Amino acid sequence: MNNKLVIHYILVFLMVVVPYLSNAQYALTDTLDYDVFIHKVIEHHPLSQKAKLNGLKAEATIRSARGNFDPVLESDFNQKLYSDKLYYRKSYSSLRFPTVAGFDLVAGYEKNSGTYLNSENQTGTDGLWNAGIELNVLQGLLMDEGRTALRQAKAYAAIAEQQRTLQTNDLYFSASEAYLYWANSHAALQIVQESIDLAENYFDNTKTSFFNGEKTAIDTVEAYIMWQDRKNLLQSVLSSYTSTQKNLENYLWNEDGWYAIEQKVPTDLGNIVENDNSIVFSLDTIEAHPILQEAQFKLSALEADRRMKREKLLPKLKLKYMPLLTPDGGEGLPGYNQNDYKWGFSFSFPLFLRGERGDLQLGKVKVQEQQLELENKTISLQNKILNSQQQINFLANQEAIQMENVEGYRKLLWAENEKFNFGESSVFLLNKRQEKYLEGQLKLVDLIMKRQLEQLKYRYYTNTLDIPNQ
């Protein structure tokens, strides 16, 4: 009877005290805090650095498009000498200022001379200044290639900004997901290790009882098999832990580059992702989500392209008017006379417009495709948000029920141990109680992980991730 009491107190000690000792052992190990981890990921991970490059791409795209409105300096010089005679010398320089209003301002200087110079090219010894305007009256009046390129560049810049947000969100989500799986496997490892310690003590106690004549040989075999089963389960859990740890190490970056975990443990599994009760989100604001914003800006770029293609259906009619400025008073300064000017126009129009109509039809199809894509993404995102809200509630309820079940399994194991100590139970029944308790604990940590992962998904879908300041 004394031996039974000793075994009883040892088992109670193992069930109650060992978990705290185990936790204390882990507490001595450095903790890789989740907040510190995710901050370093966002600040130093290569994918985060890549996402930041979208801002530079946006600036470069707009700068390139604005180049269509840069002033252009042009110069042309021609001279002919033959048989010691200067047939002609013609020089012309101009400065063109394209504008976003659809017309060009042009200023130039022309000076020609020579024995056989065409009379219409005569400019006098001081040359001839001109300044004027070139205007597209029909095609190009409301929209042209330059303005279209600028509008598309602004849309692409906005797209790049949304892509930066999406890429950062993706990195935050995948890194947090890896951390959750690592924390889950670490919690499972602790549970199984405690179960092994308990099974080993059962085996040692049963063996002692056998030598004292209180248990049979088959009881020791059964206790030994139970112990071996727990060690076999440990190998499976260790495999999962190693896998999740290596996956987590893909995200371990700091100012010095990549680094390994080196004997670190995660934050407590239940405190990684905070409860989302404080997050207020309305489906009425869903259009502000980066996924939908990106699709909307793509639609704007396609709309600008379609409008340009519709402009191509108009005839090309360009008017040119240039007052001629001549030297006045012998001072060489240009003077204005309203009767001195050049003007003209150019006109062209393809008779069948097959190319233009085909391009316009193709542009309309692309716009319709993007509109349908936007509608599909909107509905898909709405359903993901609603489903995630429901899943969080379901998992929270399951977690609460499972916590009660684990407590019940613990009480049953304690009661079975009491019966075992008084010879009213067997190793087989004790093993079954412990299996249920172990399974319940593992299922509970899985539910905790799944609930937090679903909360993470909800924040991702609603664009409410707590991204650290960069």
Side-chain angles (χ1 to χ4, degrees):
M1 186 67 180
N2 291 333
N3 289 334
K4 290 184 179 179
L5 287 174
V6 170
I7 294 173
H8 165 69
Y9 287 122
I10 289 176
L11 290 177
V12 171
F13 173 83
L14 290 171
M15 292 179 63
V16 177
V17 179
V18 166
Y20 292 98
L21 294 178
S22 178
N23 289 336
Q25 177 184 358
Y26 283 106
L28 296 175
T29 308
D30 289 338
T31 299
L32 178 60
D33 184 74
Y34 170 74
D35 292 332
V36 174
F37 160 76
I38 203 65
H39 182 83
K40 289 184 177 181
V41 168
I42 298 301
E43 187 172 358
H44 301 293
H45 196 279
L47 291 181
S48 180
Q49 302 301 319
K50 179 184 175 183
K52 295 174 185 177
L53 293 178
N54 282 287
L56 298 178
K57 288 167 60 178
E59 293 177 6
T61 301
I62 294 179
R63 184 180 295 113
S64 176
R66 285 176 175 164
N68 293 312
F69 302 97
D70 287 345
V72 179
L73 179 64
E74 297 177 337
S75 184
D76 184 62
F77 179 84
N78 289 283
Q79 179 176 284
K80 181 179 179 181
L81 291 170
Y82 183 70
S83 299
D84 296 329
K85 292 182 179 180
L86 178 62
Y87 273 58
Y88 61 80
R89 180 187 291 122
K90 296 187 292 185
S91 63
Y92 179 75
S93 298
S94 67
L95 184 60
R96 179 181 297 272
F97 294 88
T99 68
V100 293
F103 61 85
D104 295 351
L105 299 175
V106 183
Y109 174 74
E110 182 179 8
K111 186 176 182 181
N112 305 322
S113 62
T115 305
Y116 300 104
L117 184 68
N118 193 318
S119 60
E120 72 175 15
N121 294 326
Q122 293 290 341
T123 60
T125 57
D126 294 323
L128 191 65
W129 293 87
N130 63 76
I133 186 172
E134 295 183 4
L135 174 65
N136 292 307
V137 178
L138 297 176
Q139 185 183 132
L141 178 62
L142 301 178
M143 183 63 66
D144 55 25
E145 284 82 359
R147 283 178 283 178
T148 299
L150 183 57
R151 289 191 179 187
Q152 289 182 323
K154 290 180 178 180
Y156 293 143
I159 290 172
E161 178 62 24
Q162 300 306 317
Q163 288 176 342
R164 183 194 66 79
T165 302
L166 288 173
Q167 290 170 7
T168 304
N169 287 355
D170 288 342
L171 176 61
Y172 182 99
F173 179 87
S174 58
S176 299
E177 183 182 37
Y179 192 97
L180 279 171
Y181 278 110
W182 178 53
N184 175 65
S185 62
H186 179 264
L189 184 63
Q190 288 180 301
I191 292 171
V192 174
Q193 185 60 59
E194 292 168 6
S195 176
I196 289 176
D197 294 340
L198 192 60
E200 183 180 7
N201 279 279
Y202 276 141
F203 170 64
D204 291 339
N205 294 332
T206 304
K207 186 170 59 174
T208 301
S209 297
F210 166 72
F211 288 124
N212 292 335
E214 299 173 352
K215 297 291 182 184
T216 64
I218 198 64
D219 288 333
T220 62
V221 172
E222 197 168 11
Y224 178 75
I225 292 175
M226 179 175 68
W227 180 32
Q228 293 297 96
D229 283 343
R230 298 296 181 272
K231 290 196 293 184
N232 191 43
L233 178 60
L234 179 64
Q235 298 305 308
S236 176
V237 175
L238 277 172
S239 175
S240 176
Y241 179 74
T242 301
S243 178
T244 57
Q245 178 175 303
K246 291 303 178 185
N247 184 46
L248 181 77
E249 288 180 351
N250 293 327
Y251 303 95
L252 297 180
W253 293 78
N254 57 25
E255 57 276 3
D256 298 322
W258 179 86
Y259 66 98
I261 290 181
E262 297 180 354
Q263 301 300 320
K264 292 184 180 295
V265 297
T267 303
D268 182 69
L269 180 61
N271 300 321
I272 296 175
V273 180
E274 295 181 1
N275 196 297
D276 294 289
N277 293 333
S278 60
I279 295 179
V280 179
F281 180 81
S282 173
L283 289 178
D284 295 334
T285 63
I286 194 173
E287 66 276 359
H289 195 282
I291 291 178
L292 302 184
Q293 285 289 297
E294 180 187 16
Q296 185 62 55
F297 286 125
K298 286 182 179 179
L299 181 61
S300 299
L302 291 173
E303 284 283 5
D305 182 65
R306 181 185 64 82
R307 185 178 176 185
M308 181 65 235
K309 290 177 178 177
R310 187 176 59 189
E311 193 81 3
K312 294 287 187 181
L313 298 178
L314 298 174
K316 290 183 179 179
L317 177 60
K318 175 175 282 189
L319 297 180
K320 303 177 182 179
Y321 177 77
M322 293 186 179
L324 300 176
L325 308 177
T326 56
D328 187 20
E331 298 178 358
L333 299 176
Y336 172 71
N337 188 328
Q338 63 180 1
N339 296 321
D340 296 334
Y341 60 87
K342 293 193 303 184
W343 81 279
F345 70 88
S346 61
F347 177 86
S348 66
F349 184 67
L351 295 180
F352 297 113
L353 293 172
R354 286 182 290 191
E356 289 76 6
R357 293 183 186 276
D359 288 342
L360 178 59
Q361 183 177 3
L362 182 60
K364 289 180 178 179
V365 170
K366 289 181 178 179
V367 168
Q368 291 175 352
E369 286 179 339
Q370 187 59 31
Q371 287 174 336
L372 294 173
E373 181 71 16
L374 178 57
E375 292 177 6
N376 179 63
K377 287 184 175 181
T378 302
I379 296 301
S380 176
L381 186 58
Q382 285 180 349
N383 288 333
K384 286 180 179 179
I385 291 173
L386 294 175
N387 177 65
S388 186
Q389 288 176 330
Q390 295 178 350
Q391 292 301 320
I392 290 173
N393 293 331
F394 294 149
L395 289 168
N397 291 336
Q398 284 184 282
E399 183 181 331
I401 294 172
Q402 188 62 26
M403 288 181 67
E404 294 180 359
N405 288 345
V406 169
E407 179 62 19
Y409 291 140
R410 187 193 66 78
K411 291 178 179 179
L412 289 174
L413 176 59
W414 180 84
E416 198 67 44
N417 180 67
E418 289 289 296
K419 293 169 64 177
F420 180 80
N421 292 331
F422 289 101
E424 299 177 2
S425 183
S426 66
V427 175
F428 174 79
L429 292 176
L430 196 60
N431 181 31
K432 289 301 179 182
R433 295 299 189 192
Q434 189 185 0
E435 281 183 356
K436 282 294 185 180
Y437 181 51
L438 175 61
E439 291 173 2
Q441 287 178 298
L442 294 177
K443 185 175 181 180
L444 177 60
V445 295
D446 280 344
L447 286 172
I448 293 174
M449 188 271 294
K450 288 179 180 179
R451 189 255 306 162
Q452 293 193 86
L453 182 58
E454 196 61 49
Q455 290 178 179
L456 187 66
K457 288 181 181 180
Y458 178 75
R459 292 185 176 186
Y460 177 80
Y461 295 144
T462 57
N463 193 37
T464 54
L465 290 171
D466 188 18
I467 305 293
N469 293 329
Q470 301 179 53

